[in-house]
């Protein structure tokens, strides 16, 4: 049984690393994307609300140097909690680039979210999509999307399929547009219904 559990954690690690390898943005754009993706984990209560993506990544990198690895824990969540409590060496932190820290933080956020949802939502595909189109993803918007992922996975899947142009059912497309409009009105309450609709119509992005 322990072997099965550890194997599951190893699988999560492999998938999370695979997601981060698809990310091509750097600098400010990378941090913005990281804040957005870690925002989902925060919304789900999987990461402390005060945690920053680059700080989490810094802790994980230094913890790994001290022999703290996800495969040593029975769940990925236990591993991340250990990382959150890790005390970093401030001098070593200066030697690690901000991009490295953000990428590692995204890796942890990805792993947590995958473990949390299991087969209920295609987290890997969603995060890879976000990594290719970071301009559409900011922390407040992803926090709202995370709530839908948690409370109504099918509705979230329909919205995701609308964005990546794979949904062809008219009723599901209409529902997806309504869902995404609600998100826009939540994150920007002052915009009109028409402006929210225009934003959602622009959500559909061709894959690179």
């Amino acid at each position: 049984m322990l072997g099965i559990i550890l194997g599951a954690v190893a699988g999560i690690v492999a998938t999370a690393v695979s997601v981060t390898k698809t990310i091509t943005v750097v600098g400010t754009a990378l941090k913005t994307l990281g804040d957005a993706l870690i925002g989902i984990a925060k919304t789900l209560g999987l990461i402390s609300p005060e945690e920053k993506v680059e700080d989490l990544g810094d802790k994980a990198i230094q913890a790994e140097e001290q022999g703290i690895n996800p495969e040593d824990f029975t769940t990925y969540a236990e591993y991340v909690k250990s990382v959150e409590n890790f005390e970093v060496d401030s001098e070593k932190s200066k030697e690690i680039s901000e991009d490295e820290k953000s990428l590692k933080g995204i890796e942890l956020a990805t792993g947590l979210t995958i473990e949390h949802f299991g087969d209920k939502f295609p987290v890997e595909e969603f995060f890879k999509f976000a990594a290719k189109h970071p301009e559409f993803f900011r922390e407040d918007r992803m926090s709202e999307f995370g709530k839908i992922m948690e409370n109504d996975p099918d509705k979230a899947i329909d919205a995701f399929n609308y964005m990546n142009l794979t949904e062809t059912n008219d009723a599901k497309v209409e529902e997806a547009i309504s869902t995404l409009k609600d998100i826009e009105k939540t994150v920007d309450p002052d915009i009109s219904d028409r402006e929210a609709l225009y934003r959602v119509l622009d959500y559909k992005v061709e894959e690179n």
Side-chain angles (χ1 to χ4, degrees):
M1 178 63 72
L2 180 58
I4 294 175
I5 293 173
L6 295 180
V9 173
I12 291 170
V13 173
T15 302
V17 170
S18 173
V19 169
T20 59
K21 286 182 178 179
T22 68
I23 298 174
T24 58
V25 295
V26 295
T28 303
L30 177 59
K31 184 182 182 307
T32 300
L33 175 63
D35 287 338
L37 297 183
I38 207 171
I40 294 177
K42 289 180 179 179
T43 298
L44 299 172
L46 304 176
I47 295 178
S48 169
E50 294 77 26
E51 196 72 70
K52 296 180 180 179
V53 65
E54 66 272 23
D55 292 341
L56 184 65
D58 186 13
K59 293 176 185 177
I61 292 170
Q62 294 198 40
E64 191 173 297
E65 293 174 352
Q66 296 298 318
I68 300 174
N69 299 293
E71 293 86 355
D72 298 326
F73 296 82
T74 55
T75 69
Y76 199 83
E78 289 178 2
Y79 159 67
V80 174
K81 184 58 64 178
S82 176
V83 168
E84 284 197 275
N85 294 329
F86 184 82
E87 292 289 337
V88 299
D89 182 324
S90 58
E91 290 304 312
K92 288 185 178 180
S93 295
K94 297 175 184 178
E95 300 172 1
I96 306 170
S97 74
E98 294 303 301
D99 283 353
E100 286 181 277
K101 294 174 184 177
S102 292
L103 279 171
K104 194 66 174 180
I106 290 172
E107 179 186 318
L108 268 64
T110 303
L112 270 178
T113 311
I114 288 172
E115 181 176 69
H116 179 79
F117 283 105
D119 296 330
K120 291 193 297 180
F121 185 85
V123 175
E124 179 181 1
E125 291 80 3
F126 179 76
F127 275 40
K128 283 183 176 180
F129 180 84
K132 290 182 179 180
H133 307 291
E135 68 276 9
F136 285 91
F137 298 88
R138 67 189 202 198
E139 187 169 358
D140 55 356
R141 186 177 286 134
M142 287 303 94
S143 293
E144 293 303 315
F145 203 96
K147 294 175 185 176
I148 298 170
M149 290 164 66
E150 177 77 340
N151 298 321
D152 196 340
D154 288 341
K155 182 181 288 188
I157 290 171
D158 289 345
F160 172 50
N161 289 340
Y162 164 80
M163 289 190 291
N164 69 13
L165 302 176
T166 60
E167 186 55 73
T168 58
N169 181 285
D170 288 344
K172 289 187 176 183
V173 168
E174 186 175 345
E175 180 67 23
I177 290 173
S178 177
T179 297
L180 294 170
K181 277 181 60 182
D182 287 344
I183 290 177
E184 289 305 311
K185 292 288 287 182
T186 298
V187 299
D188 286 324
D190 294 334
I191 65 172
S192 66
D193 288 344
R194 177 173 292 186
E195 173 61 22
L197 176 60
Y198 285 157
R199 289 186 185 184
V200 172
L201 294 178
D202 283 340
Y203 266 2
K204 296 188 293 184
V205 182
E206 296 282 357
E207 285 287 355
N208 295 330

